[in-house]
Amino acid sequence: MGSPEEPQMARIRLPQLKLDELLEELQARLDAARGTRDRVHSLLEAVLSVGRELELEQALHSIVEAASVLVDAEYAALGVIGPDGTRLSAFHTVGVNEEQIARIGPFPEGHGILGELIRRPEPLRLAKLSEHSASYGFPPGHPPMHTFLGVPIRVREQVFGNLYLTEKRGGTQFDEEDESVLSTLAVAAGVAIDNARLYEESRLRERWLQTNAEITHNLMSGGGRAEVLGLIAERAGEITGSALAAVAVPMDDTEALSVEIAVGLDSEAHQGLVLPMDRSLMGLAFSSAASVTSTDVGHDDRISLEPPRFGGLGPAVAVPIGTGVAGARGVLLLARESGRPAFTSTETETLHAFAAQAAIAMELAERRQDAEQVAVLKDRDRIARDLHDLAIQRLFATGMTLQSAGRFIEHPEASERVVRAVDDLDETIKIIRSTIFGLRERDGAVGAGLRAQVVRVVGEATPVLGFAPSVRMEGLLDTDVPREIADHVVAVLSEALTNIARHAHAGRADIVLTSDSRQVRLTVADNGVGIPPEGRRSGLRNMGERAQQLDGNVELISPPEGGTTLVWRVPVPAE
C-alpha cells in the first residue's frame, strides 16, 4: 500500500497538467490574434500605400508589391485587360528579374490560366497549376510555379485587370484568409487606379490646353504656317507618345493632300508626299471629316504601302483639323511604334477637340493675313492711282511744255537735246504705265499653281501606267518658281511619265519635285528595264534642250540591275 501522501500528490499534478494545456491554448490564440492584428495592420498599410500613388504606372507597381507581401508569395503580377476585353495589354511583375524576363520572351497575352480569370472574373485558388484544365504549361526559361491565387480588380464595375500570385513561401498552400486579404486589396486597388486615371486625364487635359494656347499665341504673333503646323505635329506627338506625327493639307484644284510637316520616325519618307483621298489614312479622314484609326498602319488593306513609309509603326490615327461648314483645313496623323497600345476612343475624342481648336486658331490667323493682304493691295492701288493721276500727268505736261518750247530754240544742239528729253519722258511714261499694270495685275492673275499642275499630270498618266506613282513635293513651288520654269517642269514630267509608260515596263515610279529658292529639281525614278544603248532618245533630247534654255542640266542614271532615274535641274533667277 502506498503512503497517505501519494493521492494528495496526484491531485496536485492533475490540475497542473490541465493548466499547462490551457496556457498553451491561450498562447496559441494570442499568437493567432496577434498574427491577425499584424496582417490587418499590413493590409491597412498596403491600402494606404496604394492610395497615395497618383501616377498610374507607379500605382500598378505598388499594388503588385503589396499583394506579394500580404500573402507571402514569391511571384506576383498584375495583368491589365486590353480594350477588346479578351487579352492583356500590359503586364507588371514582381519576383522576376530583367534577365529572366528576357529568357522567357514576350509577356503573356492572357491564355491558359490567366485567360481563365479574364473569361470568369472571380477569385481562383489552385493547389497545383498544372492540374487545371485550362493550364498548358510554361514557356522555356520560365521559373517553376505550382500554387496559384488570382483575383480580379474592378474599377467602377468594370474589370480593369487581374492580380496573379504564385508560389507561397514555405511550400504551403494559399488559404481562404489569403484570398480574403487579396480580394480586399483588389477593392482598394480599383479605387487607387480610378484616382490615378482621373489624375492622368486631368494632367493630359492641362497639357492639351497649354498646347492650344501656345499654338494660338504663335499664330496671332505672326508665326509662319510651316512653323505652326510643325508645332501642332510636335506637341500632339509628344503628348500621345507617338513615334511619328505628320500634318497634310489639301492641294488647290486637286483631289489630293500634301504632307507639309512630318516629325519623328522616318519623317523624311513622309515629308512632301502627295496622298490620294481613297488609299491613305489621312485622305480617308479628310474626305469623311471624321477620325480614322488603324491597329497596324503598316499592314492595313485600306492604305497604299507605296512608297514604303510605315516600317516599325503599328497603331495609328488620322484626325481632320477642323470640320463643319468651312470643311477640314488639314489632317493630323499620329502613329505609335509596333507593339504599343492602340489609340483609345478617349484619346481620339481629345485629339478631335485639340484639332478643332487648332483649326479655329488657323482660321483667325488666315483672316489676319487676308486683312494684311487687302491692306497691301489697297496700298498698291493707291500707288498705281497716284502714279497715273499725278506722276504721269505731270510728266506728260512737262513733255508738252518742252515740245512747245523747242520750236523757239534756234541753236541746233540745244534743240536736239530738248527733243531727246521729250523722248526720254515718253519712255519714262511707258515704264510707269507698265509698272501700274504690274501692280494691278500681279495679285489678280489666276491659274493653277505648279503643285496642282504636277498632280494633274500624274493623275492623267496613272491609267496609262497601270499604277499610281508616288509624288513628293517640297519648297515654295507655287510662289518662288516663275511661270516659265513651271511650264518646263510640267512638260518634262509629262514626257518622263510617257517614256515610262511606253518603254520601261515598270511597276513603280517615284516623283520628287523640290525648290530651295535657288534651284528647281525634278527627279523621276522607275523600277523598269532601263534604257537600252540603241534606244530612241528624242524625248531625252527635248528635256535636255529645255534645261539648256534655262541654264540647267539633265542627268540620266540607268544602273545595270535595271530601273532609270532622271534628274532635271534648273536655277531659279533671283528677283
Side-chain angles (χ1 to χ4, degrees):
M1 292 181 64
S3 67
E5 296 179 359
E6 288 182 359
Q8 183 67 24
M9 293 296 294
R11 285 196 296 272
I12 294 173
R13 288 194 190 98
L14 187 59
Q16 183 66 42
L17 289 172
K18 289 184 178 179
L19 181 61
D20 289 341
E21 290 175 1
L22 289 172
L23 287 174
E24 288 177 2
E25 183 181 349
L26 180 60
Q27 185 63 44
R29 292 188 178 185
L30 286 173
D31 291 341
R34 189 179 296 110
T36 302
R37 183 201 64 187
D38 292 343
R39 197 162 199 186
V40 170
H41 183 69
S42 298
L43 177 60
L44 290 173
E45 282 188 341
V47 169
L48 291 174
S49 174
V50 167
R52 280 194 294 265
E53 298 294 345
L54 288 177
E55 297 286 347
L56 182 58
E57 291 298 312
Q58 187 58 45
L60 297 179
H61 190 71
S62 296
I63 292 167
V64 180
E65 287 185 330
S68 174
V69 171
L70 282 174
V71 298
D72 203 20
E74 187 173 351
Y75 304 107
L78 191 157
V80 180
I81 299 176
D84 61 358
T86 62
R87 62 180 61 193
L88 301 176
S89 62
F91 209 72
H92 303 263
T93 62
V94 167
V96 185
N97 58 40
E98 295 294 330
E99 185 179 342
Q100 289 174 307
I101 292 174
R103 285 201 307 268
I104 295 170
F107 282 120
E109 294 185 354
H111 305 294
I113 295 295
L114 305 189
E116 187 71 15
L117 258 77
I118 297 175
R119 292 185 292 272
R120 298 180 181 84
E122 300 171 355
L124 178 63
R125 182 158 43 94
L126 302 174
K128 199 170 184 62
L129 268 168
S130 58
E131 293 179 354
H132 193 279
S133 58
S135 176
Y136 58 79
F138 297 104
H142 198 288
M145 295 180 180
H146 302 92
T147 56
F148 176 86
L149 175 60
V151 296
I153 298 175
R154 299 179 186 273
V155 177
R156 297 187 181 184
E157 300 306 318
Q158 183 179 6
V159 178
F160 172 84
N162 296 304
L163 274 172
Y164 310 108
L165 288 302
T166 60
E167 293 302 286
K168 187 175 177 69
R169 289 186 174 89
T172 58
Q173 304 291 327
F174 293 109
D175 55 25
E176 291 183 6
E177 189 175 349
D178 291 327
E179 182 180 320
S180 176
V181 168
L182 202 60
S183 298
T184 304
L185 177 66
V187 173
V191 176
I193 291 168
D194 193 28
N195 289 338
R197 274 179 163 180
L198 292 173
Y199 176 70
E200 192 174 77
E201 288 174 7
S202 68
R203 288 187 63 188
L204 274 176
R205 280 195 295 269
E206 184 180 357
R207 290 187 68 185
W208 284 119
L209 289 172
Q210 289 175 346
T211 299
N212 273 318
E214 186 180 3
I215 291 168
T216 303
H217 174 74
N218 200 302
L219 281 166
M220 294 299 101
S221 59
R225 170 166 142 156
E227 180 184 352
V228 173
L229 292 180
L231 189 62
I232 291 173
E234 287 176 8
R235 295 295 182 268
E238 290 172 3
I239 295 175
T240 58
S242 300
L244 172 73
V247 177
V249 296
M251 300 181 64
D252 295 335
D253 304 322
T254 64
E255 291 294 322
L257 298 171
S258 174
V259 181
E260 289 208 5
I261 295 294
V263 293
L265 185 65
D266 287 339
S267 57
E268 299 83 3
H270 297 263
Q271 186 72 39
L273 271 181
V274 176
L275 302 173
M277 293 293 183
D278 59 340
R279 293 290 292 162
S280 66
L281 204 67
M282 300 177 93
L284 293 172
F286 184 86
S287 57
S288 64
S291 61
V292 180
T293 59
S294 174
T295 55
D296 188 356
V297 72
H299 301 85
D300 195 319
D301 294 337
R302 299 170 297 172
I303 302 168
S304 171
L305 301 181
E306 294 292 341
R309 59 193 185 278
F310 294 120
L313 296 174
V317 60
V319 180
I321 301 176
T323 53
V325 179
R329 295 178 173 274
V331 181
L332 171 65
L333 171 72
L334 298 170
R336 289 171 175 155
E337 292 180 337
S338 297
R340 292 288 311 282
F343 287 89
T344 64
S345 58
T346 302
E347 287 180 307
T348 304
E349 290 172 6
T350 306
L351 281 170
H352 264 296
F354 167 71
Q357 291 294 325
I360 293 171
M362 290 171 68
E363 183 174 356
L364 290 174
E366 287 176 9
R367 295 292 176 267
R368 179 179 57 80
Q369 291 173 355
D370 289 343
E372 292 175 354
Q373 185 68 16
V374 168
V376 170
L377 294 176
K378 286 182 177 179
D379 201 38
R380 286 181 178 175
D381 284 341
R382 180 188 59 77
I383 294 171
R385 188 171 58 251
D386 289 348
L387 285 174
H388 182 273
D389 296 344
L390 300 176
I392 288 183
Q393 300 304 324
R394 295 189 67 175
L395 287 173
F396 185 76
T398 302
M400 293 289 292
T401 301
L402 288 174
Q403 204 169 25
S404 300
R407 301 172 186 170
F408 302 103
I409 299 175
E410 297 180 356
H411 194 284
E413 187 177 345
S415 178
E416 185 181 347
R417 288 185 179 182
V418 170
V419 171
R420 282 204 305 269
V422 172
D423 291 341
D424 289 342
L425 286 173
D426 286 341
E427 191 64 30
T428 301
I429 290 172
K430 290 179 182 178
I431 293 172
I432 293 175
R433 280 178 173 163
S434 177
T435 302
I436 293 171
F437 179 79
L439 285 171
R440 289 177 172 169
E441 191 70 17
R442 185 172 180 180
D443 291 286
V446 294
L450 178 55
R451 288 176 177 267
Q453 292 183 68
V454 168
V455 173
R456 176 180 55 78
V457 169
V458 172
E460 291 173 353
T462 296
V464 181
L465 290 167
F467 58 87
S470 74
V471 183
R472 179 180 290 108
M473 292 186 278
E474 297 182 41
L476 302 175
L477 297 169
D478 291 339
T479 56
D480 284 2
V481 180
R483 178 171 295 182
E484 179 187 5
I485 295 179
D487 291 342
H488 282 290
V489 169
V490 172
V492 170
L493 175 60
S494 180
E495 183 77 34
L497 292 177
T498 300
N499 289 342
I500 293 174
R502 288 178 178 174
H503 312 296
H505 304 290
R508 174 181 168 183
D510 300 310
I511 300 163
V512 180
L513 178 61
T514 62
S515 172
D516 58 2
S517 301
R518 296 186 301 274
Q519 183 187 78
V520 175
R521 178 188 175 105
L522 172 66
T523 303
V524 183
D526 67 72
N527 64 346
V529 298
I531 300 178
E534 68 280 0
R536 295 181 59 188
R537 295 176 179 264
S538 57
L540 297 176
R541 279 198 301 272
N542 292 338
M543 298 179 197
E545 289 172 1
R546 289 181 181 276
Q548 288 175 3
Q549 289 178 22
L550 302 171
D551 297 325
N553 62 77
V554 62
E555 182 182 2
L556 195 66
I557 305 168
S558 188
E561 60 270 18
T564 304
T565 299
L566 171 78
V567 181
W568 189 89
R569 57 173 75 87
V570 296
V572 175
E575 294 186 0

